[in-house]
Amino acid sequence: MGLLGTRPVGIILRVFDQRSHIATEQTIAIPRCFLCSVRFRLWGDGLADVALSISACRWPERYRGGPSIKVFLNRGGSFESEPDFAYPLAEGVNLEGKLRIGHLDDDGVADLFAGTSEGLLVLESQGGKLDYRPLTIPGLSRSMQIITADADGDGVKDLVVGRRFNATFHIVLRRADGTFARPQCRRLSGASFDAQVIELNGDRAADLAFSSGDVFLGDADGTWGDDPAVRLPTHNGWTFMAAADFNADGRPDVALASNNRGTGVAQITVFRNTGAGSKPFATEPTRTITLSDAWVLRDGPTVADFNGDDIADLVLCTPSDRHGAVVVPGSARGLDPEAVMRVPLSYKAHYDTKIGAADFNRDGKPDLASFGPSDVGAPGVYIWLQP
């Protein structure tokens, strides 16, 4: 087990709080509010940017305002004090889901998606610029998983949308004129908290995996069948997921993760990809990993090549009374609990978010970023730069 050395935390966003009014360099003043989610990697310049969704704010007076989505571009490792783009939601519309990013086209600028009280808000970038065209897809409020993928083989990116605590997902086809068709509802075997579109069985068709254990394989026409090809056994309670090649054999594996409540122990079941075209996973896990002093955040674990060995690693968090991240490295044997790295942080990731892993200073190494309170209670978006 390794304990990584600390490096000064780069504070990017800090939420003003009645308990702390500390002004520091590289602090962007955001009013006291509930920050729904944060996302990174927006502009196609190789540096990670920051996008965040903010609910209505009532304090202090100079920052009062309704729900909004804001984008801060990374300018060579620094950020301006004001957002490069801001989209205020219409009066009476609330944020009720997660902020996600994706690409509906190849213009190099990420598109933004957020669940609202009116449905799924889509902010589509225009002309490769930080200029967005908004539209709302009704009936998809509280959207949590929002993925761009070609769901019908026509070469146009569509949307796959899931909601937390719900044993269904929706496919939203995109027409040639950029509008979206009515959502098509599909059933899952249980509630899903994570979803991922990834090629799993070597046929170059996009496949679809859910933390409910349902794995849909892409057909030759680019669609997914009505029934999953594999149903992986899930854990008791909330189950989260990560899909990546954890053993460097060229085939993505699936890791299902959950928390043993009240114990500070995380459990991970790994399903190694068998390479079989019609059934790439066995129905029993290849390995079960139990990690003490580890926790899976409610937006799921993070995949990153944290140690630079070209093998995917899994990033979790420490329990709520600790400040830190837990990295389970991949290896030729798969995820290796004997080589766990623990990263001490001077902030605590909020339980309902996800740790971001991205290169914020162009040194080729993924840094860690998330929203939460610092060790003195000041909430904001914080970045730990990897030594």
Side-chain angles (χ1 to χ4, degrees), residues 179-196:
T179 60
F180 291 90
R182 184 173 181 175
Q184 305 171 17
C185 183
R186 304 277 291 275
R187 297 206 64 81
L188 297 168
S189 61
S192 179
F193 295 85
D194 273 323
Q196 191 168 340

Side-chain angles (χ1 to χ4, degrees), residues 111-124:
D111 304 306
L112 305 173
F113 309 90
T116 75
S117 55
E118 286 197 341
L120 174 59
L121 172 65
V122 178
L123 295 176
E124 183 180 358

Side-chain angles (χ1 to χ4, degrees), residues 80-359:
E80 297 293 335
S81 60
E82 296 296 326
D84 295 273
F85 171 82
Y87 179 79
L89 273 65
E91 184 175 356
V93 179
N94 299 315
L95 288 162
E96 294 187 349
K98 293 293 184 181
L99 174 66
R100 306 296 186 190
I101 63 173
H103 291 272
L104 290 169
D105 50 40
D106 299 321
D107 66 359
V109 179
D111 304 306
L112 305 173
F113 309 90
T116 75
S117 55
E118 286 197 341
L120 174 59
L121 172 65
V122 178
L123 295 176
E124 183 180 358
S125 63
Q126 300 295 296
K129 301 177 181 179
L130 204 63
D131 179 30
Y132 289 93
R133 177 176 69 97
L135 62 90
T136 297
I137 303 174
L140 294 177
S141 60
R142 296 185 177 273
S143 300
M144 295 292 179
Q145 304 110 36
I146 308 162
I147 306 169
T148 55
D150 183 2
D152 58 356
D154 65 353
V156 176
K157 291 286 186 66
D158 310 301
L159 296 177
V160 178
V161 182
R163 286 184 271 188
R164 189 181 287 173
F165 309 116
N166 203 309
T168 62
F169 71 98
H170 290 81
I171 294 176
V172 189
L173 299 180
R174 187 164 174 249
R175 305 184 183 99
D177 62 359
T179 60
F180 291 90
R182 184 173 181 175
Q184 305 171 17
C185 183
R186 304 277 291 275
R187 297 206 64 81
L188 297 168
S189 61
S192 179
F193 295 85
D194 273 323
Q196 191 168 340
V197 172
I198 187 170
E199 203 280 293
L200 294 171
N201 60 347
D203 63 358
R204 299 185 180 182
D207 306 309
L208 183 58
F210 291 89
S211 68
S212 59
D214 298 291
V215 179
F216 296 84
L217 298 180
D219 294 330
D221 60 0
T223 62
W224 296 297
D226 292 333
D227 298 315
V230 181
R231 282 195 173 102
L232 304 176
T234 59
H235 304 177
N236 292 327
W238 298 0
T239 303
F240 305 89
M241 182 196 69
D245 184 5
F246 295 117
N247 61 349
D249 65 354
R251 300 189 295 264
D253 312 302
V254 168
L256 298 179
S258 64
N259 298 313
N260 293 331
R261 291 186 177 274
T263 65
V265 174
Q267 181 176 331
I268 304 168
T269 50
V270 181
F271 297 84
R272 180 172 292 183
N273 196 318
T274 63
S278 60
K279 194 175 182 180
F281 302 103
T283 54
E284 294 298 323
T286 309
R287 184 175 191 179
T288 298
I289 298 172
T290 300
L291 292 175
S292 60
D293 199 25
W295 199 249
V296 185
L297 295 172
R298 279 179 53 173
D299 210 9
T302 299
V303 172
D305 180 15
F306 187 79
N307 57 7
D309 64 354
D310 295 325
I311 305 177
D313 308 314
L314 196 64
V315 183
L316 287 74
C317 190
T318 52
S320 58
D321 59 343
R322 314 273 202 292
H323 291 195
V326 179
V327 182
V328 187
S331 69
R333 302 179 302 277
L335 291 175
D336 186 359
E338 304 302 320
V340 165
M341 296 173 283
R342 296 186 179 272
V343 183
L345 303 173
S346 59
Y347 64 92
K348 180 173 64 177
H350 190 277
Y351 71 92
D352 203 22
T353 60
K354 186 186 191 83
I355 293 178
D359 184 0

